[in-house]
Amino acid sequence: MLKEQLEEVEQKIQSACERAGRKREEVTLIAVSKTNPVPVLEEAYGLGVRVFGENKVQEFTGKYEALPKDICWHLIGHLQTNKVKYIIDKAALIHSVDSLKLAETIEREAAKKNCVAKILVEVNVAEEESKFGLKVDEVIPFIEKISVFEHIKVCGLMTIAPFVENPEDNRPVFSNLQKLSVDIKEKNIDNINVSILSMGMTNDYEVAIEEGATMVRVGTGIFGARNYAV
Ligand SMILES: *Cc1c(COP(=O)(O)O)cnc(C)c1O
C-alpha cells in the first residue's frame, strides 16, 4: 500500500510540475512520518525515500538513531528552545523558526557543536490564531536581525496553510508566501537566501507546487491516516 501511495503522490507532483512549467527536480518531497513506527519508515526507506519530516523532538531523535545515516531529517514542527540542543546537529533543515529567542538559541547551540544550522522562517500567512509563525510584515525585520548570526543559514520560508475543503482556497496563501520571498530577494540582505519555499501538505500540495513550492510536506497521502493513540 505504501508503494502505491508513494507512486500516486509522485505522479501528482509530476503533473503539477508540468502544469506549472516547472522541472520535477525543483520540488523536494518530504515524507512526513510523524506517529508512524520505525518499521514503516524502514519500508519507505526501502522504496527509496531519503527525506523524512518529523514534528516532535523525542520521536525525531529516536528515529534518527534507529534508521540509516543517509537520511535527511527535517524538523517541521514547533520547536521549544530547551529542545534545540537535541536536534541541532541532526536536522538537515529546521522549518519552524518563528521567534528571535528561538533563533538566538539555535545560534548558541550550533556554535557549541561547531555547525551551521539551516533554517526556514515560519510565516503565518493566513494569520490564524491557532498557528505559530510570524506575520507577513514581521518577516523582513526578523530576517535582517538574524542575518548577522554566524551559525544560522536562512534558506527560505515555510507556511502551514489553513485546513480547507477545497485546496483552491489556499492558493492565495501560497502565492503570498512566494511574493514575500521575491520581496526579500530584492532586499539583497547579506547571508540570506530564500530559495526554499516549504508549503503544501496532503490536501493542497498540488496547488502549492503550481504557486512555487520547492518543498512539499506530505504525511497522510503517503502513510495513510495517522493514529495518535499509539
Ligand atoms: C503533519 C504535518 C504535515 C503533513 O500533514 P498531512 O496532511 O498528513 O500531509 C505537514 N506539515 C506539518 C508542519 C505537519 O505538522
Side-chain angles (χ1 to χ4, degrees):
M1 197 171 80
L2 192 55
K3 186 166 185 280
E4 285 73 29
Q5 286 173 172
L6 205 51
E7 280 168 3
E8 190 186 324
V9 171
E10 179 53 41
Q11 260 313 315
K12 288 182 172 167
I13 291 175
Q14 281 180 24
S15 305
C17 285
E18 275 165 33
R19 284 196 299 280
R22 303 181 60 197
K23 296 201 189 84
R24 170 64 187 90
E25 308 85 77
E26 291 173 33
V27 181
T28 301
L29 170 62
I30 301 172
V32 176
S33 45
K34 64 186 187 196
T35 77
N36 287 283
V38 167
V40 174
L41 277 72
E42 283 170 339
E43 190 186 343
Y45 182 89
L47 294 167
V49 176
R50 293 293 180 274
V51 185
F52 290 89
E54 289 285 337
N55 69 336
K56 297 239 162 63
V57 166
Q58 204 179 349
E59 198 177 332
F60 175 112
T61 53
K63 288 173 177 174
Y64 179 92
E65 295 307 330
L67 281 135
K69 289 291 167 269
D70 62 340
I71 291 174
C72 280
W73 293 95
H74 290 230
L75 191 81
I76 59 172
H78 183 66
L79 180 57
Q80 290 172 303
T81 52
N82 62 341
K83 302 223 169 120
V84 170
K85 56 179 178 285
Y86 301 115
I87 56 98
I88 192 70
D89 53 351
K90 298 184 175 70
L93 187 64
I94 301 170
H95 288 232
S96 46
V97 178
D98 62 351
S99 74
L100 195 56
K101 189 171 158 237
L102 177 58
E104 285 166 349
T105 308
I106 292 172
E107 168 67 15
R108 204 164 48 240
E109 294 298 332
K112 277 190 208 162
K113 294 259 166 73
N114 205 15
C115 65
V116 175
K118 291 186 178 169
I119 66 135
L120 304 179
V121 175
E122 181 170 352
V123 189
N124 187 356
V125 179
E127 299 198 5
E128 287 182 286
E129 287 285 342
S130 60
K131 296 248 167 83
F132 293 104
L134 298 174
K135 290 186 182 154
V136 168
D137 58 9
E138 295 172 332
V139 173
I140 290 176
F142 177 72
I143 285 184
E144 282 170 339
K145 274 195 206 120
I146 67 174
S147 67
V148 298
F149 290 171
E150 289 178 4
H151 301 89
I152 288 184
K153 178 110 200 69
V154 175
C155 301
L157 306 174
M158 177 271 222
T159 196
I160 302 175
F163 181 77
V164 289
E165 285 297 328
N166 181 357
E168 281 298 326
D169 294 348
N170 279 336
R171 193 178 287 279
V173 172
F174 300 137
S175 68
N176 282 339
L177 195 71
Q178 199 275 337
K179 278 184 211 136
L180 176 61
S181 78
V182 173
D183 291 346
I184 296 167
K185 278 172 201 153
E186 283 171 355
K187 293 241 160 205
N188 277 321
I189 308 165
D190 270 358
N191 190 34
I192 300 295
N193 174 331
V194 284
S195 55
I196 296 176
L197 286 180
S198 169
M199 55 188 197
M201 311 183 3
T202 296
N203 191 39
D204 53 20
Y205 66 91
E206 294 159 89
V207 175
I209 290 170
E210 289 168 11
E211 295 301 329
T214 70
M215 285 184 178
V216 290
R217 309 179 306 266
V218 181
T220 323
I222 296 173
F223 296 104
R226 282 182 288 275
N227 182 357
Y228 285 99
V230 290

